[in-house]
């Protein structure tokens, strides 16, 4: 394996997350990763789609065996071209209700995602894969918890207690702040099915910038 990203160097806090996910086929190879850019709806579903068809393919096979596979729908979003890299992923995510459109006719693939939105999608993805998010820490009562939307509360709590995300040093969660590509790589890498440590385990509690994800 050779690192395809010229901008992902070993001195980055996210280096191990990004490179291991690329090795696992979750993150596509390209000249640059641009980890400081905001994570988009289109790329998020592509990465989860890659996980479902790659590292979690045995779980997908079990769904097929249990007759839990669904016929993939074509939602008809006018802003998703059929030759887009994430087209199949969007149809898959829509079919399994991981994420919906921004309207009846649009998906807005280039829109950024907030922290609470990512937690919600990850919790839904865990349910799809029949993954139990282990409770490794006690629930936090964030000082801005009232600003977490009702639909996102269970997802935020599940991801926080599983050690996938954390609050900030000031006691806040900042649910409406966007997430960068590097930050989502850390979240995906910490997504630990049933404690099996499928990739590299969770971030150390004191692990630099990633500790406040």
């Amino acid at each position: 394996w050779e690192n395809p990203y010229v901008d992902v160097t070993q001195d980055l806090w996210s280096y191990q997350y990004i490179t291991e996910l690329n090795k696992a086929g979750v993150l596509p190879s390209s000249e640059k990763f641009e980890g400081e850019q905001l994570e988009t709806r289109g790329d998020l579903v592509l990465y989860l789609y890659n996980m479902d068809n790659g590292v979690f393919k045995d779980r997908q096979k079990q769904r097929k065996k249990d007759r839990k596979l669904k016929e993939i729908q074509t939602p008809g979003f006018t802003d998703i071209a059929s030759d887009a890299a994430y087209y199949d992923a969007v149809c898959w995510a829509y079919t399994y209700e991981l994420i919906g459109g921004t309207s009846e006719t649009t998906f807005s693939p280039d829109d950024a995602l907030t922290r609470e939105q990512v937690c919600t999608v990850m919790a839904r993805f865990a349910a799809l894969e029949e993954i139990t998010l282990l409770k490794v820490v006690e629930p936090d009562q964030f000082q801005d918890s009232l600003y977490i939307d009702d639909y996102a509360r269970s997802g935020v709590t599940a991801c926080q207690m599983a050690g996938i995300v954390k609050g900030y040093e000031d006691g806040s969660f900042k649910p409406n702040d966007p997430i960068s590509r590097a930050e989502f790589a850390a979240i995906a890498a910490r997504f630990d099915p049933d404690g099996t440590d499928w990739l590299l385990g969770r971030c150390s509690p004191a692990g630099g910038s990633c500790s406040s994800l």
Side-chain angles (χ1 to χ4, degrees):
W1 177 85
E2 184 176 352
N3 181 3
Y5 310 118
V6 297
D7 58 346
V8 177
T9 54
Q10 293 188 21
D11 59 322
L12 293 178
W13 68 266
S14 54
Y15 173 81
Q16 189 178 17
Y17 298 125
I18 295 168
T19 55
E20 291 298 328
L21 286 169
N22 176 257
K23 291 178 187 177
V26 176
L27 301 180
S29 295
S30 59
E31 182 180 359
K32 292 184 177 181
F33 181 70
E34 299 181 316
E36 74 284 354
Q37 297 297 315
L38 297 182
E39 191 58 275
T40 65
R41 290 164 53 85
D43 282 341
L44 171 70
V45 296
L46 176 61
Y47 302 155
L48 297 184
Y49 181 71
N50 290 343
M51 291 171 74
D52 184 59
N53 287 283
V55 293
F56 293 159
K57 61 184 177 182
D58 288 342
R59 294 176 180 273
Q60 184 188 93
K61 291 178 180 178
Q62 187 61 47
R63 290 203 304 277
K64 182 177 182 179
K65 182 179 179 180
D66 295 340
R67 299 178 182 274
K68 294 181 179 179
L69 288 183
K70 296 182 178 180
E71 182 177 350
I72 300 300
Q73 303 175 37
T74 303
F77 296 128
T78 58
D79 56 352
I80 301 288
S82 59
D83 60 351
Y86 41 68
Y87 176 80
D88 289 340
V90 169
C91 294
W92 165 81
Y94 179 83
T95 298
Y96 284 99
E97 299 180 350
L98 299 182
I99 191 170
T102 52
S103 75
E104 291 185 1
T105 58
T106 58
F107 183 76
S108 305
D110 296 327
D111 280 8
L113 291 142
T114 65
R115 287 165 58 82
E116 69 174 13
Q117 288 172 340
V118 169
C119 288
T120 299
V121 174
M122 295 307 292
R124 291 172 181 171
F125 182 61
L128 169 64
E129 302 291 348
E130 298 185 343
I131 289 170
T132 301
L133 293 179
L134 301 182
K135 297 178 181 179
V136 299
V137 296
E138 293 299 315
D140 275 340
Q141 183 61 42
F142 300 114
Q143 66 176 20
D144 56 354
S145 61
L146 291 177
Y147 294 98
I148 299 174
D149 284 318
D150 289 343
Y151 80 87
R153 289 185 181 278
S154 61
V156 170
T157 299
C159 288
Q160 180 265 314
M161 293 181 68
I164 296 172
V165 296
K166 296 179 58 127
Y168 290 86
E169 291 184 359
D170 64 1
S172 66
F173 181 73
K174 301 184 184 350
N176 295 309
D177 277 12
I179 277 183
S180 71
R181 290 166 55 82
E183 288 172 334
F184 181 74
I187 288 173
R190 292 186 214 151
F191 191 74
D192 190 5
D194 308 319
T196 56
D197 193 15
W198 71 276
L199 191 64
L200 53 89
R202 298 184 180 85
C203 174
S204 165
S209 299
C210 59
S211 64
S212 60
L213 287 178

